[in-house]
Amino acid sequence: MIAMAWVTLCLLLPAAIAKSFPYPDSFDHVVACDTCNGTGARDCSSSDCQSRCPSEGKQCFKSNRYKLGCCCDPAKMPSPNIYKCRRGAKKSGPNQCLSECCQAVTYAEKKTWATICGDGCCKPSNHGTQNQCGSSWPLGLKGGKLKRHPCCLLKGASQDHQNGARCCFHGDGVNCSSPKQEPCCLLASTTTTHKNQSTDPHAVCQRKTCAAYIPCQASRGVNCESRSKTVCCLKATQPSISDPCQISVEDCNSRYMACNAGDQLGIDCSSSSGSNSVCCLPAGKETEACRRGDCAEYQREQTSRVIGVVCVSIACFCALLCGCILCHRRLQLLYRRLTDPLRASLLLPGARVSLAPVIEHPRRILLAISCQGYQNGYGVLETPHGDADLLAGACESMGYEVIKIQGSSHGAIFEGFRRAVHLVSGTTNALLLVSFSGHAVEINGKMMWAPEDAVRGDMNTHFNVASVCRDLMEVHLNDGAERFGAMQPAKSLFVVLLADCCREPGGSHCEPFQEARHGRRRRDRPSLYIIYACGPGLLAADAAPDGSHSPFMHHVVEQIQSERRVSCFAAVVNEELKKTTNYRQEVWHPEGTGNFDGVTLSVPGRLRSGSGSSMLTENSQPEVVPSRQP
């Protein structure tokens, strides 16, 4: 049984190999012609070429391999724009001239020529990739003797690809890494061997013998300084850019940076590869990490440096910790001295009481912006216009100057800000209350208000609130006021922003907490406090259960006439909003810029008279300010 299986394998294996071998295809076009004879037939100048060819309606073409002219019918000759031909010949018979032609392939308006290989064509692929003609290992294909056959392979194929197809571009040799020294395809750098000396001794495939082969202990690479790109032995898994031995030819062209003339190669001691990483020694002199010998001295220097840095860091940390502890103790002592008498008199242990003087605002402005009738990707809202009217009515009753803007467009919203800045220009300590009701989204990390004509996802149609906030922080300067068309700056302006909108997917409406771009007139710089209807990434309800107004604006109007400072006002609105929405929505009011301790949204009515009046009312206990969570 074993003998029969072996015989069957010997019979079928050559046929299978021959079927898979990349033979050249047959010629696409072959034209047979008569031969011109006589002296000068090679140049078509013999009498036979000049008399017989025209008399037969033919033309004399260049000579064939036997240096004889060919009388051919021009109409039957293939077009040189389509075919690449060679002049062949037969050894006997009247038709000794043959034009054997291979047709070009056109792909995507690009013509790729076929390659004549042996007695056939190496045709390009259907995608226009050119093939190259090579020679096989000594193979006994189609039941014949061992010999080399012409073959076709993708142009520029790697050595592994050539070995897999048994088709070599630079000839075949012996595989020195194989115990049986099987055939292999040579590299271009190993095509010659002289007296047991190879031009590329580290190449695995040698031409005839392995006597000159020098194996590598690790991986093999490409010597970038060799013109023929010989094989070299890699010192590191990832060589440095100065190492002449790179992983591939592509690395030689794109990654390798040769040292300057006069430089020497050294060891890069800072590399994770240790002594295997190569660096350049300028004029042979050692640098910080590039050393000529081993890295022992460099390692000692680095160890001493690290120990010094750690010791200094520990000393600085201890000094800072002692300073913080001392400062904390002194602040505790100062806090007790200031609050103990007040706690004893008011019987409010643990409370923080605001005794800041109430700021008298020469003008109080309300800018109420509402957007409701969306069409381009946003859902239509029900309550924004009604919310704006409700807040405007409450503020008008307290003496506010009201500007109502139905934000149909980007320009309408900016016009509202421009009118508001005009009203506060030339004043000191004015109060500007801005409310917005509508859709808002985050685009490119910034929160943008959506006017009614905004297109969802198009940033150019949205209102950039962060930019306006930064401009408002500079209206105390002449150039800042001119951005809103105002002739005079507004000194110490207080801006409170009520944002009744969703914050999906999250972000900040403004960037007011960064330092102002100008350090001029810091005392007159505006202050900004923002109160959001919901936290980052959350949604704000459009209408309360009764459908009349949004829950946030309902509680804002309900509490706006209470004599509370702004931070406490936001905290009370938050508590009422959580009760109304069953804790699904909470007010988010981060720390603002400036001091709002003496600012109330209501007009002080029953406050104690005198310049030293405080947030304490005549008939009420001092206001207890709860701690806020962002």
mmCIF file of all heavy atoms in Angstrom, residues 311-354:
data_model
loop_
_atom_site.group_PDB
_atom_site.id
_atom_site.type_symbol
_atom_site.label_atom_id
_atom_site.label_comp_id
_atom_site.label_asym_id
_atom_site.label_seq_id
_atom_site.Cartn_x
_atom_site.Cartn_y
_atom_site.Cartn_z
ATOM 1 N N CYS A 311 15.636 63.658 46.374
ATOM 2 C CA CYS A 311 15.895 64.308 47.668
ATOM 3 C C CYS A 311 15.382 65.740 47.673
ATOM 4 O O CYS A 311 14.748 66.187 48.651
ATOM 5 C CB CYS A 311 17.400 64.277 47.967
ATOM 6 S SG CYS A 311 18.065 62.615 48.262
ATOM 7 N N VAL A 312 15.637 66.479 46.592
ATOM 8 C CA VAL A 312 15.148 67.857 46.521
ATOM 9 C C VAL A 312 13.623 67.894 46.514
ATOM 10 O O VAL A 312 13.000 68.745 47.166
ATOM 11 C CB VAL A 312 15.729 68.552 45.268
ATOM 12 C CG1 VAL A 312 15.094 69.922 45.076
ATOM 13 C CG2 VAL A 312 17.231 68.691 45.391
ATOM 14 N N SER A 313 12.987 66.961 45.792
ATOM 15 C CA SER A 313 11.515 66.919 45.741
ATOM 16 C C SER A 313 10.927 66.638 47.114
ATOM 17 O O SER A 313 9.934 67.255 47.519
ATOM 18 C CB SER A 313 11.066 65.863 44.737
ATOM 19 O OG SER A 313 11.552 66.139 43.445
ATOM 20 N N ILE A 314 11.549 65.707 47.854
ATOM 21 C CA ILE A 314 11.043 65.389 49.196
ATOM 22 C C ILE A 314 11.190 66.598 50.117
ATOM 23 O O ILE A 314 10.286 66.927 50.896
ATOM 24 C CB ILE A 314 11.792 64.167 49.758
ATOM 25 C CG1 ILE A 314 11.435 62.910 48.954
ATOM 26 C CG2 ILE A 314 11.445 63.962 51.222
ATOM 27 C CD1 ILE A 314 12.214 61.679 49.367
ATOM 28 N N ALA A 315 12.334 67.302 50.012
ATOM 29 C CA ALA A 315 12.537 68.482 50.855
ATOM 30 C C ALA A 315 11.523 69.574 50.536
ATOM 31 O O ALA A 315 10.947 70.201 51.443
ATOM 32 C CB ALA A 315 13.965 69.003 50.663
ATOM 33 N N CYS A 316 11.267 69.802 49.233
ATOM 34 C CA CYS A 316 10.275 70.812 48.840
ATOM 35 C C CYS A 316 8.880 70.421 49.303
ATOM 36 O O CYS A 316 8.098 71.267 49.766
ATOM 37 C CB CYS A 316 10.310 71.010 47.329
ATOM 38 S SG CYS A 316 11.837 71.752 46.712
ATOM 39 N N PHE A 317 8.542 69.138 49.195
ATOM 40 C CA PHE A 317 7.217 68.696 49.620
ATOM 41 C C PHE A 317 7.048 68.885 51.128
ATOM 42 O O PHE A 317 5.988 69.338 51.591
ATOM 43 C CB PHE A 317 7.028 67.226 49.239
ATOM 44 C CG PHE A 317 5.735 66.642 49.738
ATOM 45 C CD1 PHE A 317 4.538 66.920 49.103
ATOM 46 C CD2 PHE A 317 5.723 65.803 50.849
ATOM 47 C CE1 PHE A 317 3.346 66.385 49.567
ATOM 48 C CE2 PHE A 317 4.543 65.272 51.324
ATOM 49 C CZ PHE A 317 3.350 65.559 50.677
ATOM 50 N N CYS A 318 8.086 68.550 51.882
ATOM 51 C CA CYS A 318 7.987 68.719 53.337
ATOM 52 C C CYS A 318 7.835 70.191 53.719
ATOM 53 O O CYS A 318 7.036 70.552 54.598
ATOM 54 C CB CYS A 318 9.222 68.122 54.009
ATOM 55 S SG CYS A 318 9.345 66.317 53.861
ATOM 56 N N ALA A 319 8.611 71.063 53.030
ATOM 57 C CA ALA A 319 8.486 72.492 53.313
ATOM 58 C C ALA A 319 7.100 73.008 52.953
ATOM 59 O O ALA A 319 6.492 73.793 53.700
ATOM 60 C CB ALA A 319 9.564 73.258 52.535
ATOM 61 N N LEU A 320 6.569 72.569 51.814
ATOM 62 C CA LEU A 320 5.228 72.992 51.415
ATOM 63 C C LEU A 320 4.182 72.475 52.376
ATOM 64 O O LEU A 320 3.219 73.189 52.733
ATOM 65 C CB LEU A 320 4.948 72.496 49.991
ATOM 66 C CG LEU A 320 3.590 72.855 49.397
ATOM 67 C CD1 LEU A 320 3.426 74.366 49.297
ATOM 68 C CD2 LEU A 320 3.411 72.222 48.025
ATOM 69 N N LEU A 321 4.329 71.241 52.826
ATOM 70 C CA LEU A 321 3.364 70.674 53.762
ATOM 71 C C LEU A 321 3.384 71.438 55.084
ATOM 72 O O LEU A 321 2.318 71.737 55.654
ATOM 73 C CB LEU A 321 3.684 69.195 53.991
ATOM 74 C CG LEU A 321 2.740 68.423 54.918
ATOM 75 C CD1 LEU A 321 1.323 68.432 54.356
ATOM 76 C CD2 LEU A 321 3.220 66.985 55.106
ATOM 77 N N CYS A 322 4.577 71.767 55.570
ATOM 78 C CA CYS A 322 4.660 72.532 56.823
ATOM 79 C C CYS A 322 4.026 73.907 56.655
ATOM 80 O O CYS A 322 3.319 74.398 57.554
ATOM 81 C CB CYS A 322 6.123 72.673 57.239
ATOM 82 S SG CYS A 322 6.908 71.106 57.713
ATOM 83 N N GLY A 323 4.258 74.540 55.477
ATOM 84 C CA GLY A 323 3.643 75.837 55.242
ATOM 85 C C GLY A 323 2.131 75.764 55.189
ATOM 86 O O GLY A 323 1.428 76.635 55.710
ATOM 87 N N CYS A 324 1.597 74.711 54.553
ATOM 88 C CA CYS A 324 0.138 74.546 54.473
ATOM 89 C C CYS A 324 -0.464 74.308 55.858
ATOM 90 O O CYS A 324 -1.537 74.841 56.176
ATOM 91 C CB CYS A 324 -0.191 73.397 53.532
ATOM 92 S SG CYS A 324 0.187 73.725 51.794
ATOM 93 N N ILE A 325 0.205 73.501 56.658
ATOM 94 C CA ILE A 325 -0.316 73.242 58.011
ATOM 95 C C ILE A 325 -0.323 74.524 58.841
ATOM 96 O O ILE A 325 -1.311 74.835 59.533
ATOM 97 C CB ILE A 325 0.542 72.152 58.694
ATOM 98 C CG1 ILE A 325 0.366 70.806 57.972
ATOM 99 C CG2 ILE A 325 0.158 72.020 60.158
ATOM 100 C CD1 ILE A 325 1.266 69.710 58.488
ATOM 101 N N LEU A 326 0.746 75.301 58.751
ATOM 102 C CA LEU A 326 0.805 76.558 59.497
ATOM 103 C C LEU A 326 -0.261 77.541 59.015
ATOM 104 O O LEU A 326 -0.944 78.188 59.824
ATOM 105 C CB LEU A 326 2.200 77.162 59.341
ATOM 106 C CG LEU A 326 2.453 78.483 60.080
ATOM 107 C CD1 LEU A 326 2.262 78.293 61.574
ATOM 108 C CD2 LEU A 326 3.850 79.007 59.771
ATOM 109 N N CYS A 327 -0.429 77.632 57.703
ATOM 110 C CA CYS A 327 -1.441 78.526 57.146
ATOM 111 C C CYS A 327 -2.841 78.087 57.545
ATOM 112 O O CYS A 327 -3.704 78.905 57.872
ATOM 113 C CB CYS A 327 -1.290 78.587 55.625
ATOM 114 S SG CYS A 327 -2.426 79.717 54.798
ATOM 115 N N HIS A 328 -3.083 76.769 57.530
ATOM 116 C CA HIS A 328 -4.400 76.253 57.909
ATOM 117 C C HIS A 328 -4.717 76.583 59.366
ATOM 118 O O HIS A 328 -5.850 76.980 59.687
ATOM 119 C CB HIS A 328 -4.430 74.744 57.687
ATOM 120 C CG HIS A 328 -5.702 74.092 58.134
ATOM 121 N ND1 HIS A 328 -6.912 74.292 57.494
ATOM 122 C CD2 HIS A 328 -5.957 73.240 59.171
ATOM 123 C CE1 HIS A 328 -7.848 73.610 58.097
ATOM 124 N NE2 HIS A 328 -7.296 72.960 59.121
ATOM 125 N N ARG A 329 -3.746 76.468 60.226
ATOM 126 C CA ARG A 329 -3.986 76.772 61.640
ATOM 127 C C ARG A 329 -4.291 78.251 61.840
ATOM 128 O O ARG A 329 -5.187 78.618 62.615
ATOM 129 C CB ARG A 329 -2.771 76.361 62.462
ATOM 130 C CG ARG A 329 -2.592 74.843 62.563
ATOM 131 C CD ARG A 329 -1.328 74.506 63.335
ATOM 132 N NE ARG A 329 -1.181 73.048 63.451
ATOM 133 C CZ ARG A 329 -0.114 72.457 64.021
ATOM 134 N NH1 ARG A 329 0.887 73.208 64.501
ATOM 135 N NH2 ARG A 329 -0.051 71.148 64.079
ATOM 136 N N ARG A 330 -3.563 79.120 61.132
ATOM 137 C CA ARG A 330 -3.823 80.546 61.283
ATOM 138 C C ARG A 330 -5.181 80.940 60.719
ATOM 139 O O ARG A 330 -5.872 81.791 61.280
ATOM 140 C CB ARG A 330 -2.706 81.328 60.592
ATOM 141 C CG ARG A 330 -1.362 81.193 61.296
ATOM 142 C CD ARG A 330 -0.336 82.151 60.721
ATOM 143 N NE ARG A 330 0.917 82.079 61.469
ATOM 144 C CZ ARG A 330 1.973 82.846 61.220
ATOM 145 N NH1 ARG A 330 1.917 83.749 60.244
ATOM 146 N NH2 ARG A 330 3.080 82.722 61.931
ATOM 147 N N LEU A 331 -5.573 80.328 59.608
ATOM 148 C CA LEU A 331 -6.894 80.610 59.057
ATOM 149 C C LEU A 331 -7.995 80.123 59.989
ATOM 150 O O LEU A 331 -9.049 80.771 60.124
ATOM 151 C CB LEU A 331 -7.040 79.953 57.676
ATOM 152 C CG LEU A 331 -6.226 80.585 56.536
ATOM 153 C CD1 LEU A 331 -6.403 79.760 55.252
ATOM 154 C CD2 LEU A 331 -6.673 82.017 56.290
ATOM 155 N N GLN A 332 -7.798 78.964 60.604
ATOM 156 C CA GLN A 332 -8.784 78.483 61.569
ATOM 157 C C GLN A 332 -8.938 79.455 62.733
ATOM 158 O O GLN A 332 -10.051 79.755 63.177
ATOM 159 C CB GLN A 332 -8.366 77.101 62.091
ATOM 160 C CG GLN A 332 -8.775 75.946 61.199
ATOM 161 C CD GLN A 332 -8.481 74.616 61.844
ATOM 162 O OE1 GLN A 332 -7.532 74.481 62.615
ATOM 163 N NE2 GLN A 332 -9.293 73.630 61.525
ATOM 164 N N LEU A 333 -7.800 79.957 63.219
ATOM 165 C CA LEU A 333 -7.846 80.904 64.329
ATOM 166 C C LEU A 333 -8.568 82.187 63.924
ATOM 167 O O LEU A 333 -9.401 82.716 64.671
ATOM 168 C CB LEU A 333 -6.423 81.202 64.797
ATOM 169 C CG LEU A 333 -6.271 82.184 65.973
ATOM 170 C CD1 LEU A 333 -6.991 81.633 67.207
ATOM 171 C CD2 LEU A 333 -4.803 82.437 66.272
ATOM 172 N N LEU A 334 -8.265 82.699 62.734
ATOM 173 C CA LEU A 334 -8.919 83.916 62.264
ATOM 174 C C LEU A 334 -10.412 83.698 62.062
ATOM 175 O O LEU A 334 -11.239 84.560 62.400
ATOM 176 C CB LEU A 334 -8.261 84.367 60.958
ATOM 177 C CG LEU A 334 -8.838 85.622 60.297
ATOM 178 C CD1 LEU A 334 -8.689 86.827 61.223
ATOM 179 C CD2 LEU A 334 -8.148 85.882 58.958
ATOM 180 N N TYR A 335 -10.781 82.533 61.519
ATOM 181 C CA TYR A 335 -12.194 82.227 61.299
ATOM 182 C C TYR A 335 -12.956 82.183 62.624
ATOM 183 O O TYR A 335 -14.081 82.684 62.737
ATOM 184 C CB TYR A 335 -12.303 80.882 60.566
ATOM 185 C CG TYR A 335 -13.712 80.396 60.348
ATOM 186 C CD1 TYR A 335 -14.518 80.953 59.374
ATOM 187 C CD2 TYR A 335 -14.233 79.360 61.132
ATOM 188 C CE1 TYR A 335 -15.815 80.507 59.168
ATOM 189 C CE2 TYR A 335 -15.528 78.912 60.944
ATOM 190 C CZ TYR A 335 -16.309 79.490 59.962
ATOM 191 O OH TYR A 335 -17.593 79.052 59.773
ATOM 192 N N ARG A 336 -12.362 81.581 63.629
ATOM 193 C CA ARG A 336 -13.032 81.499 64.928
ATOM 194 C C ARG A 336 -13.198 82.873 65.555
ATOM 195 O O ARG A 336 -14.230 83.181 66.166
ATOM 196 C CB ARG A 336 -12.240 80.589 65.860
ATOM 197 C CG ARG A 336 -12.317 79.114 65.462
ATOM 198 C CD ARG A 336 -11.356 78.285 66.298
ATOM 199 N NE ARG A 336 -11.370 76.886 65.878
ATOM 200 C CZ ARG A 336 -10.530 75.970 66.356
ATOM 201 N NH1 ARG A 336 -9.594 76.315 67.238
ATOM 202 N NH2 ARG A 336 -10.614 74.725 65.928
ATOM 203 N N ARG A 337 -12.170 83.732 65.422
ATOM 204 C CA ARG A 337 -12.271 85.068 65.987
ATOM 205 C C ARG A 337 -13.395 85.875 65.348
ATOM 206 O O ARG A 337 -14.040 86.684 66.011
ATOM 207 C CB ARG A 337 -10.941 85.802 65.809
ATOM 208 C CG ARG A 337 -9.820 85.280 66.698
ATOM 209 C CD ARG A 337 -8.532 86.031 66.409
ATOM 210 N NE ARG A 337 -7.443 85.547 67.268
ATOM 211 C CZ ARG A 337 -6.185 85.990 67.178
ATOM 212 N NH1 ARG A 337 -5.875 86.933 66.272
ATOM 213 N NH2 ARG A 337 -5.253 85.503 67.987
ATOM 214 N N LEU A 338 -13.628 85.659 64.050
ATOM 215 C CA LEU A 338 -14.652 86.424 63.354
ATOM 216 C C LEU A 338 -16.053 85.852 63.529
ATOM 217 O O LEU A 338 -17.039 86.598 63.576
ATOM 218 C CB LEU A 338 -14.326 86.497 61.854
ATOM 219 C CG LEU A 338 -13.072 87.275 61.466
ATOM 220 C CD1 LEU A 338 -12.835 87.164 59.963
ATOM 221 C CD2 LEU A 338 -13.194 88.732 61.868
ATOM 222 N N THR A 339 -16.177 84.529 63.619
ATOM 223 C CA THR A 339 -17.504 83.913 63.609
ATOM 224 C C THR A 339 -18.026 83.545 64.987
ATOM 225 O O THR A 339 -19.239 83.402 65.153
ATOM 226 C CB THR A 339 -17.468 82.640 62.743
ATOM 227 O OG1 THR A 339 -16.489 81.728 63.269
ATOM 228 C CG2 THR A 339 -17.133 82.983 61.306
ATOM 229 N N ASP A 340 -17.150 83.366 65.971
ATOM 230 C CA ASP A 340 -17.647 82.957 67.287
ATOM 231 C C ASP A 340 -18.611 83.972 67.882
ATOM 232 O O ASP A 340 -19.688 83.593 68.388
ATOM 233 C CB ASP A 340 -16.469 82.707 68.235
ATOM 234 C CG ASP A 340 -15.792 81.375 67.937
ATOM 235 O OD1 ASP A 340 -16.365 80.596 67.145
ATOM 236 O OD2 ASP A 340 -14.687 81.123 68.461
ATOM 237 N N PRO A 341 -18.311 85.275 67.843
ATOM 238 C CA PRO A 341 -19.292 86.221 68.384
ATOM 239 C C PRO A 341 -20.608 86.208 67.633
ATOM 240 O O PRO A 341 -21.680 86.313 68.226
ATOM 241 C CB PRO A 341 -18.573 87.569 68.252
ATOM 242 C CG PRO A 341 -17.137 87.236 68.191
ATOM 243 C CD PRO A 341 -17.063 85.946 67.475
ATOM 244 N N LEU A 342 -20.556 86.088 66.333
ATOM 245 C CA LEU A 342 -21.782 86.079 65.544
ATOM 246 C C LEU A 342 -22.607 84.837 65.797
ATOM 247 O O LEU A 342 -23.833 84.879 65.887
ATOM 248 C CB LEU A 342 -21.418 86.193 64.055
ATOM 249 C CG LEU A 342 -22.579 86.327 63.075
ATOM 250 C CD1 LEU A 342 -23.359 87.600 63.351
ATOM 251 C CD2 LEU A 342 -22.066 86.332 61.647
ATOM 252 N N ARG A 343 -21.944 83.681 65.915
ATOM 253 C CA ARG A 343 -22.678 82.445 66.211
ATOM 254 C C ARG A 343 -23.352 82.521 67.573
ATOM 255 O O ARG A 343 -24.486 82.062 67.762
ATOM 256 C CB ARG A 343 -21.712 81.257 66.184
ATOM 257 C CG ARG A 343 -21.224 80.887 64.801
ATOM 258 C CD ARG A 343 -20.285 79.705 64.886
ATOM 259 N NE ARG A 343 -19.787 79.326 63.572
ATOM 260 C CZ ARG A 343 -18.898 78.364 63.369
ATOM 261 N NH1 ARG A 343 -18.403 77.709 64.401
ATOM 262 N NH2 ARG A 343 -18.510 78.073 62.151
ATOM 263 N N ALA A 344 -22.635 83.087 68.514
ATOM 264 C CA ALA A 344 -23.213 83.176 69.864
ATOM 265 C C ALA A 344 -24.431 84.072 69.881
ATOM 266 O O ALA A 344 -25.416 83.801 70.582
ATOM 267 C CB ALA A 344 -22.165 83.691 70.839
ATOM 268 N N SER A 345 -24.405 85.166 69.123
ATOM 269 C CA SER A 345 -25.528 86.099 69.142
ATOM 270 C C SER A 345 -26.702 85.628 68.323
ATOM 271 O O SER A 345 -27.857 85.885 68.656
ATOM 272 C CB SER A 345 -25.063 87.464 68.639
ATOM 273 O OG SER A 345 -24.602 87.335 67.302
ATOM 274 N N LEU A 346 -26.462 84.935 67.252
ATOM 275 C CA LEU A 346 -27.552 84.513 66.355
ATOM 276 C C LEU A 346 -28.020 83.087 66.606
ATOM 277 O O LEU A 346 -29.040 82.669 66.067
ATOM 278 C CB LEU A 346 -27.092 84.618 64.893
ATOM 279 C CG LEU A 346 -26.721 86.037 64.414
ATOM 280 C CD1 LEU A 346 -26.236 85.984 62.980
ATOM 281 C CD2 LEU A 346 -27.914 86.967 64.544
ATOM 282 N N LEU A 347 -27.247 82.340 67.398
ATOM 283 C CA LEU A 347 -27.601 80.944 67.708
ATOM 284 C C LEU A 347 -27.759 80.133 66.429
ATOM 285 O O LEU A 347 -28.703 79.361 66.273
ATOM 286 C CB LEU A 347 -28.898 80.888 68.542
ATOM 287 C CG LEU A 347 -28.829 81.587 69.899
ATOM 288 C CD1 LEU A 347 -30.190 81.494 70.586
ATOM 289 C CD2 LEU A 347 -27.742 80.991 70.772
ATOM 290 N N LEU A 348 -26.863 80.356 65.499
ATOM 291 C CA LEU A 348 -26.883 79.594 64.243
ATOM 292 C C LEU A 348 -25.543 78.907 64.063
ATOM 293 O O LEU A 348 -24.694 79.336 63.304
ATOM 294 C CB LEU A 348 -27.138 80.534 63.046
ATOM 295 C CG LEU A 348 -28.530 81.145 62.968
ATOM 296 C CD1 LEU A 348 -28.573 82.154 61.843
ATOM 297 C CD2 LEU A 348 -29.577 80.075 62.800
ATOM 298 N N PRO A 349 -25.301 77.854 64.788
ATOM 299 C CA PRO A 349 -23.997 77.180 64.684
ATOM 300 C C PRO A 349 -23.789 76.579 63.291
ATOM 301 O O PRO A 349 -24.680 75.962 62.737
ATOM 302 C CB PRO A 349 -24.080 76.083 65.749
ATOM 303 C CG PRO A 349 -25.541 75.847 65.947
ATOM 304 C CD PRO A 349 -26.216 77.159 65.721
ATOM 305 N N GLY A 350 -22.588 76.790 62.786
ATOM 306 C CA GLY A 350 -22.225 76.179 61.491
ATOM 307 C C GLY A 350 -22.714 76.934 60.292
ATOM 308 O O GLY A 350 -22.504 76.523 59.175
ATOM 309 N N ALA A 351 -23.445 78.060 60.469
ATOM 310 C CA ALA A 351 -23.984 78.756 59.304
ATOM 311 C C ALA A 351 -23.007 79.795 58.799
ATOM 312 O O ALA A 351 -22.246 80.372 59.561
ATOM 313 C CB ALA A 351 -25.307 79.421 59.657
ATOM 314 N N ARG A 352 -23.047 80.097 57.512
ATOM 315 C CA ARG A 352 -22.270 81.162 56.908
ATOM 316 C C ARG A 352 -23.218 82.306 56.586
ATOM 317 O O ARG A 352 -24.173 82.153 55.833
ATOM 318 C CB ARG A 352 -21.573 80.693 55.617
ATOM 319 C CG ARG A 352 -20.462 79.703 55.863
ATOM 320 C CD ARG A 352 -19.597 79.511 54.618
ATOM 321 N NE ARG A 352 -20.373 78.964 53.501
ATOM 322 C CZ ARG A 352 -20.617 79.629 52.384
ATOM 323 N NH1 ARG A 352 -20.200 80.859 52.245
ATOM 324 N NH2 ARG A 352 -21.289 79.075 51.406
ATOM 325 N N VAL A 353 -22.996 83.471 57.195
ATOM 326 C CA VAL A 353 -23.894 84.610 57.061
ATOM 327 C C VAL A 353 -23.229 85.665 56.201
ATOM 328 O O VAL A 353 -22.068 86.003 56.418
ATOM 329 C CB VAL A 353 -24.246 85.190 58.450
ATOM 330 C CG1 VAL A 353 -25.194 86.357 58.316
ATOM 331 C CG2 VAL A 353 -24.835 84.099 59.319
ATOM 332 N N SER A 354 -23.952 86.176 55.249
ATOM 333 C CA SER A 354 -23.417 87.200 54.361
ATOM 334 C C SER A 354 -23.715 88.565 54.932
ATOM 335 O O SER A 354 -24.870 88.938 55.125
ATOM 336 C CB SER A 354 -24.050 87.060 52.977
ATOM 337 O OG SER A 354 -23.618 88.109 52.156
#
